[in-house]
Amino acid sequence: MYEVIEGASESHHDFPSFRVGSETIEVVPLTASIGAELRRVSLARASRDAALFAELRELLLRYKVLFFRDQDITRAEHVALAERFGALEDHPVAGSDPQHPGLVRIYKDLDSPPEHYENAFHCDATWREAPPMGSVLRCVEGPPVGGDTIWVNMAEAYRRLPEHVKDRIGGLRARHSIEASFGAAMPQEQRHALHERFPDAEHPVVRTHPETGERILFVNAFTTHFTNYHTPENVRFGHDYSPGGSELLNYLIRQAFVPEFQVRWRWTENSVAIWDNRSTQHYAVQDYWPGVRKMERAGIVGTETF
């Protein structure tokens, strides 16, 4: 455990600070719901220091996304930090840095293809049977204006649902598809091959966080349909299935749009975000053209949902 230091903050705000070994770290919550900036901490050191990393992990479970500025770390240190959470995974479409497997380069400039995969509220790779645990994302080059990322607390989104909706969705399951998202613009043969490699995954609509026990609303832009909605309790006539299920799914997906569940981060060069992919969604705002935005992300392998 870290040692909380009373009155250790040097700013005029009353932010909590804690000491890990010789480092004193300031924790600055960014909203009452989600997100905290950690100041006076070295992620390069955290990639090597088990005690410091353990405290960062504890804070991640509490705040769901952690932010850092002025982290001039190497790609090797970036990967080493992410690997403390677990093994890294490649991306079948975006690929990885050749020298650093698992480090995905997300570079956007005027020559980039006009795909729009980031600017939708989503939880990374829920088309996998075991979606990622989380990610470590660093800004290599940011635009002069724009290019923020928004994160959403999906535990809070579930908690604030009406009780009758919670009762209705408690046992529902849904499909998540890479074919209908990343594959949609591919030629049919290539799209089908992608689907063969990554068949649609099925997850509970309300998942349980494996470490905190929180209940999480777990539908997003990769979700295509419910798989067990067509029951006598939900469907009077056959035509109830499509509008009833799709309208409920769209209602649930829209919960991520609520500002009260969100935090927004303005990137600067060498700023870093670490997020828990199990309890959040995010949205990369593409409002910076003709600016350039270059990001590098290490995604951490997760576990099957329940």
Side-chain angles (χ1 to χ4, degrees):
M1 285 293 294
Y2 53 77
E3 174 189 355
V4 177
I5 305 170
E6 299 296 336
S9 174
E10 296 175 356
S11 71
H12 64 281
H13 300 289
D14 188 21
F15 298 133
S17 296
F18 64 90
R19 180 177 292 121
V20 181
S22 61
E23 294 210 16
T24 301
I25 300 173
E26 187 177 58
V27 181
V28 183
L30 300 185
T31 77
S33 174
I34 179 175
E37 180 181 349
L38 270 57
R39 298 175 179 170
R40 300 201 297 268
V41 59
S42 165
L43 292 181
R45 180 186 161 195
S47 72
R48 303 183 294 269
D49 186 323
L52 177 55
F53 172 78
E55 300 306 342
L56 296 186
R57 185 176 184 120
E58 182 178 324
L59 289 167
L60 180 63
L61 293 176
R62 176 177 178 180
Y63 292 103
K64 297 179 170 54
V65 55
L66 302 177
F67 301 104
F68 310 80
R69 294 205 185 273
D70 302 319
Q71 301 292 323
D72 188 13
I73 58 177
T74 66
R75 284 175 173 164
E77 289 169 331
H78 186 165
V79 167
L81 175 65
E83 286 180 330
R84 282 198 169 272
F85 289 99
L88 304 188
E89 63 180 28
D90 202 353
H91 194 285
V93 177
S96 292
D97 180 81
Q99 282 74 47
H100 301 89
L103 190 66
V104 178
R105 293 182 291 188
I106 308 171
Y107 290 6
K108 298 294 179 68
D109 55 32
L110 294 178
D111 296 324
S112 299
E115 87 313 7
H116 298 285
Y117 298 132
E118 297 179 282
N119 57 341
F121 285 105
H122 66 285
C123 177
D124 282 336
T126 56
W127 36 264
R128 296 186 188 272
E129 288 294 337
M133 170 264 158
S135 288
V136 181
L137 180 67
R138 182 172 71 96
C139 179
V140 176
E141 179 182 349
V145 294
D148 297 357
T149 301
I150 300 167
W151 279 266
V152 192
N153 181 344
M154 297 308 296
E156 184 71 1
Y158 173 76
R159 189 184 72 81
R160 304 262 306 254
L161 283 173
E163 289 301 319
H164 73 275
V165 175
K166 292 181 182 178
D167 292 340
R168 190 177 182 191
I169 67 176
L172 286 180
R173 298 181 66 84
R175 286 282 169 83
H176 299 242
S177 174
I178 190 174
E179 179 189 19
S181 51
F182 284 97
M186 295 177 178
Q188 180 174 310
E189 184 176 332
Q190 186 179 355
R191 174 167 52 82
H192 287 180
L194 184 66
H195 182 264
E196 283 290 320
R197 186 179 171 195
F198 297 98
D200 293 353
E202 181 178 304
H203 300 294
V205 169
V206 182
R207 75 171 292 182
T208 301
H209 194 288
E211 296 186 73
T212 67
E214 292 174 297
R215 302 282 277 165
I216 313 292
L217 182 59
F218 201 65
V219 294
N220 66 89
F222 294 122
T223 311
T224 58
H225 64 283
F226 299 128
T227 54
N228 61 337
Y229 182 82
H230 199 298
T231 63
E233 294 79 15
N234 293 324
V235 178
R236 305 163 302 158
F237 308 103
H239 66 254
D240 279 351
Y241 167 67
S242 180
S246 60
E247 287 168 7
L248 176 58
L249 177 57
N250 285 329
Y251 168 78
L252 296 175
I253 288 173
R254 287 198 304 271
Q255 299 310 302
F257 305 174
V258 177
E260 282 78 1
F261 307 152
Q262 300 174 357
V263 63
R264 184 166 179 145
W265 178 251
R266 171 60 53 87
W267 293 100
T268 52
E269 184 177 336
N270 287 326
S271 57
V272 172
I274 304 174
W275 70 91
D276 189 331
N277 196 58
R278 301 164 296 186
S279 57
T280 65
Q281 291 187 36
H282 56 282
Y283 183 118
V285 184
Q286 293 187 0
D287 60 350
Y288 50 87
W289 302 103
V292 173
R293 186 176 185 268
K294 295 184 178 181
M295 316 292 286
E296 296 182 352
R297 184 188 72 199
I300 302 121
V301 173
T303 57
E304 292 188 3
T305 56
F306 60 92

